[in-house]
Amino acid sequence: MNGREHHGFILAAAIIPFIGVAVAIVLLWNKLVGWSDMVALVIMYSIAILGISAGYHRLLAHRSFQTNRAIKVFLVWAGTIAGQGPALIWTAHHRRHHRVADKPGDPHSPYLDDEPGWRGALKGLWHSHMGWLFDKDLTSDPIRYCPDLARDKDIRFASNHFVGIVVGGIVFPGFIGLAITQTWQGFLTAVLWGGLVRFFLANHVTYAVNSVGHYFGRRRFDTPDESRNVAWLAIPSFGEAWHNNHHAFPKAAFHGFYWWEVDLTAIFIRGLETVGLAREVVRIPKDRIRARADGLSRVGGGRAAPSAPPKPLAERHKVSTSGGVADVE
Ligand SMILES: [Zn+2]
Ligand SMILES: [Zn+2]
């Protein structure tokens, strides 16, 4: 897939599921929705989100655990179905995000726009959520950021057949609907809910980790970026929203650090490990978590450090209206 095709895909991936959601709402109005559609939605949503969180993110981008070839291929295909880009491109952008999070060079930071006030804040949030995907000049070279993955022929195969796998992931739920209802109407509405509505929901949840997860929420660790833990997003994102935890310990396989930090992906990985299908699962000892949370390992991080990221635009605006200073940086 070349740059132009990728751009065309991103555009289609933004518009078509959106139309699907509109159609689904109209059908909902007319009560043209059955429990088979909800089954298709839950199954396909879980596959896509797990593919992104356990596959693309924790297995490929961070190597937080190892697994056998069959599970790797399943997770890579599941992540591909989500339609957020081929594994190689996704992981290249993501590794780059971690290297320079919220600093120049970060592909999707909400803080890199200079416009003050709420307009700038909205522009930053839009850029980090989806806008960056439409920037034709924004590319992260997979050979530079993930040479290890570029050598893997299973990952190359899924990347080369990206569009076919994504379309397959939209059509497949139709067969769940057909199996349950034995009707073609059941097939079509399951494609709508398990294919397009699922596509829309799962993608916006992932994108929200990049936008909301660097803007609104609590910080346990004084990381040199603006990552946040967003509790309300934890369940829909299958644990990816414990994003401040993740930036503090990027290689950790479990992003929820305490029992109340629900992390469905961690449960999945632990399950794989229990049945012998995951190994070298990276765990962070509790005393390291506590020490870092207490600020004992803050050296070089945090807003007071010289390398601190730009302050949230909302704060800049506060300074500019009260102190008459356009930019506090
Ligand atoms: Zn991040
Ligand atoms: Zn990450």
Side-chain angles (χ1 to χ4, degrees), residues 134-159:
F134 300 107
D135 184 346
K136 280 184 195 161
D137 301 325
L138 206 165
T139 52
S140 303
D141 182 8
I143 302 298
R144 176 175 170 196
Y145 289 99
C146 32
D148 52 329
L149 305 178
R151 278 193 298 269
D152 185 319
K153 62 178 189 310
D154 295 322
I155 294 171
R156 280 210 312 273
F157 181 88
S159 290

PDB file of all heavy atoms in Angstrom, residues 134-159:
ATOM      1  N   PHE A 134      -5.052  12.544   8.411  1.00  0.00           N
ATOM      2  CA  PHE A 134      -5.290  13.138   7.092  1.00  0.00           C
ATOM      3  C   PHE A 134      -4.091  13.945   6.589  1.00  0.00           C
ATOM      4  O   PHE A 134      -4.132  14.502   5.504  1.00  0.00           O
ATOM      5  CB  PHE A 134      -6.528  14.040   7.135  1.00  0.00           C
ATOM      6  CG  PHE A 134      -7.768  13.299   7.520  1.00  0.00           C
ATOM      7  CD1 PHE A 134      -8.341  13.466   8.772  1.00  0.00           C
ATOM      8  CD2 PHE A 134      -8.359  12.400   6.644  1.00  0.00           C
ATOM      9  CE1 PHE A 134      -9.470  12.764   9.140  1.00  0.00           C
ATOM     10  CE2 PHE A 134      -9.491  11.690   6.996  1.00  0.00           C
ATOM     11  CZ  PHE A 134     -10.047  11.874   8.245  1.00  0.00           C
ATOM     12  N   ASP A 135      -3.053  14.059   7.396  1.00  0.00           N
ATOM     13  CA  ASP A 135      -1.870  14.827   7.005  1.00  0.00           C
ATOM     14  C   ASP A 135      -0.988  13.952   6.101  1.00  0.00           C
ATOM     15  O   ASP A 135      -0.318  13.035   6.570  1.00  0.00           O
ATOM     16  CB  ASP A 135      -1.110  15.254   8.275  1.00  0.00           C
ATOM     17  CG  ASP A 135       0.074  16.146   7.936  1.00  0.00           C
ATOM     18  OD1 ASP A 135       0.460  16.206   6.743  1.00  0.00           O
ATOM     19  OD2 ASP A 135       0.608  16.775   8.858  1.00  0.00           O
ATOM     20  N   LYS A 136      -1.031  14.279   4.806  1.00  0.00           N
ATOM     21  CA  LYS A 136      -0.318  13.443   3.829  1.00  0.00           C
ATOM     22  C   LYS A 136       1.191  13.417   4.081  1.00  0.00           C
ATOM     23  O   LYS A 136       1.874  12.468   3.724  1.00  0.00           O
ATOM     24  CB  LYS A 136      -0.557  13.981   2.427  1.00  0.00           C
ATOM     25  CG  LYS A 136      -1.887  13.557   1.842  1.00  0.00           C
ATOM     26  CD  LYS A 136      -1.997  14.061   0.410  1.00  0.00           C
ATOM     27  CE  LYS A 136      -3.419  13.968  -0.068  1.00  0.00           C
ATOM     28  NZ  LYS A 136      -3.708  14.791  -1.219  1.00  0.00           N
ATOM     29  N   ASP A 137       1.707  14.514   4.653  1.00  0.00           N
ATOM     30  CA  ASP A 137       3.167  14.604   4.835  1.00  0.00           C
ATOM     31  C   ASP A 137       3.631  13.882   6.095  1.00  0.00           C
ATOM     32  O   ASP A 137       4.830  13.747   6.331  1.00  0.00           O
ATOM     33  CB  ASP A 137       3.599  16.074   4.910  1.00  0.00           C
ATOM     34  CG  ASP A 137       3.202  16.810   3.641  1.00  0.00           C
ATOM     35  OD1 ASP A 137       3.256  16.178   2.569  1.00  0.00           O
ATOM     36  OD2 ASP A 137       2.819  17.990   3.738  1.00  0.00           O
ATOM     37  N   LEU A 138       2.679  13.465   6.930  1.00  0.00           N
ATOM     38  CA  LEU A 138       3.064  12.848   8.198  1.00  0.00           C
ATOM     39  C   LEU A 138       3.278  11.342   7.997  1.00  0.00           C
ATOM     40  O   LEU A 138       2.328  10.572   7.892  1.00  0.00           O
ATOM     41  CB  LEU A 138       1.951  13.090   9.223  1.00  0.00           C
ATOM     42  CG  LEU A 138       2.356  13.104  10.699  1.00  0.00           C
ATOM     43  CD1 LEU A 138       1.227  13.711  11.515  1.00  0.00           C
ATOM     44  CD2 LEU A 138       2.733  11.762  11.233  1.00  0.00           C
ATOM     45  N   THR A 139       4.529  10.961   7.895  1.00  0.00           N
ATOM     46  CA  THR A 139       4.818   9.535   7.740  1.00  0.00           C
ATOM     47  C   THR A 139       5.892   9.143   8.754  1.00  0.00           C
ATOM     48  O   THR A 139       6.744   9.960   9.117  1.00  0.00           O
ATOM     49  CB  THR A 139       5.350   9.223   6.324  1.00  0.00           C
ATOM     50  OG1 THR A 139       6.446  10.106   6.061  1.00  0.00           O
ATOM     51  CG2 THR A 139       4.282   9.406   5.267  1.00  0.00           C
ATOM     52  N   SER A 140       5.809   7.910   9.245  1.00  0.00           N
ATOM     53  CA  SER A 140       6.845   7.377  10.137  1.00  0.00           C
ATOM     54  C   SER A 140       7.406   6.143   9.441  1.00  0.00           C
ATOM     55  O   SER A 140       6.668   5.191   9.190  1.00  0.00           O
ATOM     56  CB  SER A 140       6.249   7.012  11.496  1.00  0.00           C
ATOM     57  OG  SER A 140       5.618   8.136  12.074  1.00  0.00           O
ATOM     58  N   ASP A 141       8.671   6.189   9.138  1.00  0.00           N
ATOM     59  CA  ASP A 141       9.297   5.133   8.337  1.00  0.00           C
ATOM     60  C   ASP A 141       9.385   3.808   9.119  1.00  0.00           C
ATOM     61  O   ASP A 141      10.099   3.729  10.127  1.00  0.00           O
ATOM     62  CB  ASP A 141      10.700   5.606   7.935  1.00  0.00           C
ATOM     63  CG  ASP A 141      11.407   4.580   7.050  1.00  0.00           C
ATOM     64  OD1 ASP A 141      10.743   3.614   6.642  1.00  0.00           O
ATOM     65  OD2 ASP A 141      12.606   4.771   6.784  1.00  0.00           O
ATOM     66  N   PRO A 142       8.671   2.757   8.671  1.00  0.00           N
ATOM     67  CA  PRO A 142       8.720   1.479   9.400  1.00  0.00           C
ATOM     68  C   PRO A 142      10.129   0.898   9.474  1.00  0.00           C
ATOM     69  O   PRO A 142      10.477   0.254  10.469  1.00  0.00           O
ATOM     70  CB  PRO A 142       7.820   0.554   8.574  1.00  0.00           C
ATOM     71  CG  PRO A 142       6.951   1.457   7.769  1.00  0.00           C
ATOM     72  CD  PRO A 142       7.760   2.695   7.513  1.00  0.00           C
ATOM     73  N   ILE A 143      10.954   1.145   8.452  1.00  0.00           N
ATOM     74  CA  ILE A 143      12.314   0.592   8.481  1.00  0.00           C
ATOM     75  C   ILE A 143      13.119   1.244   9.604  1.00  0.00           C
ATOM     76  O   ILE A 143      13.930   0.614  10.268  1.00  0.00           O
ATOM     77  CB  ILE A 143      13.023   0.812   7.117  1.00  0.00           C
ATOM     78  CG1 ILE A 143      12.220   0.160   5.988  1.00  0.00           C
ATOM     79  CG2 ILE A 143      14.455   0.284   7.144  1.00  0.00           C
ATOM     80  CD1 ILE A 143      12.063  -1.350   6.106  1.00  0.00           C
ATOM     81  N   ARG A 144      12.826   2.510   9.859  1.00  0.00           N
ATOM     82  CA  ARG A 144      13.539   3.205  10.926  1.00  0.00           C
ATOM     83  C   ARG A 144      12.996   2.832  12.311  1.00  0.00           C
ATOM     84  O   ARG A 144      13.753   2.597  13.245  1.00  0.00           O
ATOM     85  CB  ARG A 144      13.408   4.721  10.712  1.00  0.00           C
ATOM     86  CG  ARG A 144      14.038   5.511  11.823  1.00  0.00           C
ATOM     87  CD  ARG A 144      14.029   6.995  11.562  1.00  0.00           C
ATOM     88  NE  ARG A 144      14.427   7.693  12.763  1.00  0.00           N
ATOM     89  CZ  ARG A 144      14.243   8.978  12.977  1.00  0.00           C
ATOM     90  NH1 ARG A 144      13.688   9.723  12.041  1.00  0.00           N
ATOM     91  NH2 ARG A 144      14.620   9.539  14.098  1.00  0.00           N
ATOM     92  N   TYR A 145      11.649   2.772  12.423  1.00  0.00           N
ATOM     93  CA  TYR A 145      11.060   2.601  13.751  1.00  0.00           C
ATOM     94  C   TYR A 145      10.791   1.144  14.118  1.00  0.00           C
ATOM     95  O   TYR A 145      10.716   0.813  15.295  1.00  0.00           O
ATOM     96  CB  TYR A 145       9.763   3.415  13.872  1.00  0.00           C
ATOM     97  CG  TYR A 145      10.035   4.897  13.922  1.00  0.00           C
ATOM     98  CD1 TYR A 145       9.903   5.688  12.783  1.00  0.00           C
ATOM     99  CD2 TYR A 145      10.468   5.504  15.102  1.00  0.00           C
ATOM    100  CE1 TYR A 145      10.175   7.042  12.819  1.00  0.00           C
ATOM    101  CE2 TYR A 145      10.736   6.858  15.155  1.00  0.00           C
ATOM    102  CZ  TYR A 145      10.594   7.623  14.003  1.00  0.00           C
ATOM    103  OH  TYR A 145      10.882   8.955  14.054  1.00  0.00           O
ATOM    104  N   CYS A 146      10.553   0.292  13.120  1.00  0.00           N
ATOM    105  CA  CYS A 146      10.289  -1.119  13.487  1.00  0.00           C
ATOM    106  C   CYS A 146      10.909  -2.077  12.483  1.00  0.00           C
ATOM    107  O   CYS A 146      10.182  -2.842  11.839  1.00  0.00           O
ATOM    108  CB  CYS A 146       8.806  -1.387  13.685  1.00  0.00           C
ATOM    109  SG  CYS A 146       7.693  -0.441  12.677  1.00  0.00           S
ATOM    110  N   PRO A 147      12.244  -2.048  12.370  1.00  0.00           N
ATOM    111  CA  PRO A 147      12.907  -2.991  11.464  1.00  0.00           C
ATOM    112  C   PRO A 147      12.647  -4.441  11.874  1.00  0.00           C
ATOM    113  O   PRO A 147      12.578  -5.325  11.028  1.00  0.00           O
ATOM    114  CB  PRO A 147      14.399  -2.640  11.618  1.00  0.00           C
ATOM    115  CG  PRO A 147      14.510  -1.883  12.892  1.00  0.00           C
ATOM    116  CD  PRO A 147      13.193  -1.201  13.094  1.00  0.00           C
ATOM    117  N   ASP A 148      12.453  -4.672  13.179  1.00  0.00           N
ATOM    118  CA  ASP A 148      12.184  -6.028  13.665  1.00  0.00           C
ATOM    119  C   ASP A 148      10.884  -6.569  13.065  1.00  0.00           C
ATOM    120  O   ASP A 148      10.790  -7.736  12.688  1.00  0.00           O
ATOM    121  CB  ASP A 148      12.103  -6.035  15.205  1.00  0.00           C
ATOM    122  CG  ASP A 148      11.137  -4.974  15.742  1.00  0.00           C
ATOM    123  OD1 ASP A 148      10.990  -3.918  15.093  1.00  0.00           O
ATOM    124  OD2 ASP A 148      10.535  -5.205  16.810  1.00  0.00           O
ATOM    125  N   LEU A 149       9.871  -5.699  12.946  1.00  0.00           N
ATOM    126  CA  LEU A 149       8.578  -6.142  12.426  1.00  0.00           C
ATOM    127  C   LEU A 149       8.589  -6.212  10.906  1.00  0.00           C
ATOM    128  O   LEU A 149       7.928  -7.065  10.308  1.00  0.00           O
ATOM    129  CB  LEU A 149       7.464  -5.200  12.887  1.00  0.00           C
ATOM    130  CG  LEU A 149       7.362  -4.982  14.404  1.00  0.00           C
ATOM    131  CD1 LEU A 149       6.258  -3.994  14.722  1.00  0.00           C
ATOM    132  CD2 LEU A 149       7.078  -6.303  15.111  1.00  0.00           C
ATOM    133  N   ALA A 150       9.361  -5.318  10.284  1.00  0.00           N
ATOM    134  CA  ALA A 150       9.424  -5.302   8.817  1.00  0.00           C
ATOM    135  C   ALA A 150      10.008  -6.607   8.274  1.00  0.00           C
ATOM    136  O   ALA A 150       9.761  -6.979   7.135  1.00  0.00           O
ATOM    137  CB  ALA A 150      10.241  -4.098   8.341  1.00  0.00           C
ATOM    138  N   ARG A 151      10.794  -7.284   9.111  1.00  0.00           N
ATOM    139  CA  ARG A 151      11.402  -8.553   8.685  1.00  0.00           C
ATOM    140  C   ARG A 151      10.442  -9.732   8.822  1.00  0.00           C
ATOM    141  O   ARG A 151      10.686 -10.802   8.284  1.00  0.00           O
ATOM    142  CB  ARG A 151      12.651  -8.836   9.545  1.00  0.00           C
ATOM    143  CG  ARG A 151      13.899  -8.106   9.094  1.00  0.00           C
ATOM    144  CD  ARG A 151      15.126  -8.689   9.778  1.00  0.00           C
ATOM    145  NE  ARG A 151      15.067  -8.536  11.226  1.00  0.00           N
ATOM    146  CZ  ARG A 151      15.561  -7.501  11.900  1.00  0.00           C
ATOM    147  NH1 ARG A 151      16.169  -6.534  11.241  1.00  0.00           N
ATOM    148  NH2 ARG A 151      15.471  -7.422  13.210  1.00  0.00           N
ATOM    149  N   ASP A 152       9.355  -9.544   9.583  1.00  0.00           N
ATOM    150  CA  ASP A 152       8.438 -10.652   9.892  1.00  0.00           C
ATOM    151  C   ASP A 152       7.470 -10.872   8.723  1.00  0.00           C
ATOM    152  O   ASP A 152       6.667  -9.999   8.388  1.00  0.00           O
ATOM    153  CB  ASP A 152       7.660 -10.273  11.170  1.00  0.00           C
ATOM    154  CG  ASP A 152       6.758 -11.404  11.643  1.00  0.00           C
ATOM    155  OD1 ASP A 152       6.119 -12.047  10.791  1.00  0.00           O
ATOM    156  OD2 ASP A 152       6.688 -11.627  12.862  1.00  0.00           O
ATOM    157  N   LYS A 153       7.527 -12.046   8.105  1.00  0.00           N
ATOM    158  CA  LYS A 153       6.742 -12.220   6.876  1.00  0.00           C
ATOM    159  C   LYS A 153       5.235 -12.294   7.143  1.00  0.00           C
ATOM    160  O   LYS A 153       4.437 -11.935   6.282  1.00  0.00           O
ATOM    161  CB  LYS A 153       7.233 -13.413   6.043  1.00  0.00           C
ATOM    162  CG  LYS A 153       7.144 -14.778   6.672  1.00  0.00           C
ATOM    163  CD  LYS A 153       7.646 -15.788   5.625  1.00  0.00           C
ATOM    164  CE  LYS A 153       7.425 -17.231   6.013  1.00  0.00           C
ATOM    165  NZ  LYS A 153       7.870 -17.634   7.351  1.00  0.00           N
ATOM    166  N   ASP A 154       4.819 -12.729   8.338  1.00  0.00           N
ATOM    167  CA  ASP A 154       3.385 -12.734   8.664  1.00  0.00           C
ATOM    168  C   ASP A 154       2.844 -11.302   8.757  1.00  0.00           C
ATOM    169  O   ASP A 154       1.724 -11.015   8.333  1.00  0.00           O
ATOM    170  CB  ASP A 154       3.146 -13.453   9.996  1.00  0.00           C
ATOM    171  CG  ASP A 154       3.506 -14.934   9.903  1.00  0.00           C
ATOM    172  OD1 ASP A 154       3.241 -15.526   8.843  1.00  0.00           O
ATOM    173  OD2 ASP A 154       4.065 -15.469  10.877  1.00  0.00           O
ATOM    174  N   ILE A 155       3.669 -10.429   9.336  1.00  0.00           N
ATOM    175  CA  ILE A 155       3.241  -9.031   9.480  1.00  0.00           C
ATOM    176  C   ILE A 155       3.238  -8.342   8.116  1.00  0.00           C
ATOM    177  O   ILE A 155       2.316  -7.594   7.779  1.00  0.00           O
ATOM    178  CB  ILE A 155       4.156  -8.292  10.489  1.00  0.00           C
ATOM    179  CG1 ILE A 155       3.938  -8.900  11.882  1.00  0.00           C
ATOM    180  CG2 ILE A 155       3.883  -6.799  10.492  1.00  0.00           C
ATOM    181  CD1 ILE A 155       4.914  -8.432  12.919  1.00  0.00           C
ATOM    182  N   ARG A 156       4.259  -8.676   7.308  1.00  0.00           N
ATOM    183  CA  ARG A 156       4.295  -8.109   5.944  1.00  0.00           C
ATOM    184  C   ARG A 156       3.099  -8.581   5.137  1.00  0.00           C
ATOM    185  O   ARG A 156       2.472  -7.812   4.406  1.00  0.00           O
ATOM    186  CB  ARG A 156       5.600  -8.499   5.243  1.00  0.00           C
ATOM    187  CG  ARG A 156       6.794  -7.654   5.630  1.00  0.00           C
ATOM    188  CD  ARG A 156       7.785  -7.551   4.475  1.00  0.00           C
ATOM    189  NE  ARG A 156       8.077  -8.843   3.886  1.00  0.00           N
ATOM    190  CZ  ARG A 156       9.034  -9.681   4.310  1.00  0.00           C
ATOM    191  NH1 ARG A 156       9.797  -9.318   5.321  1.00  0.00           N
ATOM    192  NH2 ARG A 156       9.238 -10.842   3.735  1.00  0.00           N
ATOM    193  N   PHE A 157       2.730  -9.846   5.286  1.00  0.00           N
ATOM    194  CA  PHE A 157       1.583 -10.401   4.534  1.00  0.00           C
ATOM    195  C   PHE A 157       0.302  -9.645   4.913  1.00  0.00           C
ATOM    196  O   PHE A 157      -0.453  -9.215   4.040  1.00  0.00           O
ATOM    197  CB  PHE A 157       1.421 -11.899   4.835  1.00  0.00           C
ATOM    198  CG  PHE A 157       0.286 -12.538   4.080  1.00  0.00           C
ATOM    199  CD1 PHE A 157       0.482 -13.060   2.806  1.00  0.00           C
ATOM    200  CD2 PHE A 157      -0.997 -12.597   4.631  1.00  0.00           C
ATOM    201  CE1 PHE A 157      -0.579 -13.641   2.092  1.00  0.00           C
ATOM    202  CE2 PHE A 157      -2.064 -13.165   3.925  1.00  0.00           C
ATOM    203  CZ  PHE A 157      -1.844 -13.685   2.656  1.00  0.00           C
ATOM    204  N   ALA A 158       0.070  -9.482   6.223  1.00  0.00           N
ATOM    205  CA  ALA A 158      -1.148  -8.776   6.665  1.00  0.00           C
ATOM    206  C   ALA A 158      -1.130  -7.322   6.196  1.00  0.00           C
ATOM    207  O   ALA A 158      -2.173  -6.772   5.826  1.00  0.00           O
ATOM    208  CB  ALA A 158      -1.277  -8.849   8.183  1.00  0.00           C
ATOM    209  N   SER A 159       0.051  -6.708   6.183  1.00  0.00           N
ATOM    210  CA  SER A 159       0.152  -5.324   5.722  1.00  0.00           C
ATOM    211  C   SER A 159      -0.115  -5.242   4.225  1.00  0.00           C
ATOM    212  O   SER A 159      -0.777  -4.317   3.755  1.00  0.00           O
ATOM    213  CB  SER A 159       1.534  -4.742   6.052  1.00  0.00           C
ATOM    214  OG  SER A 159       1.655  -4.557   7.450  1.00  0.00           O
TER     215      SER A 159
END
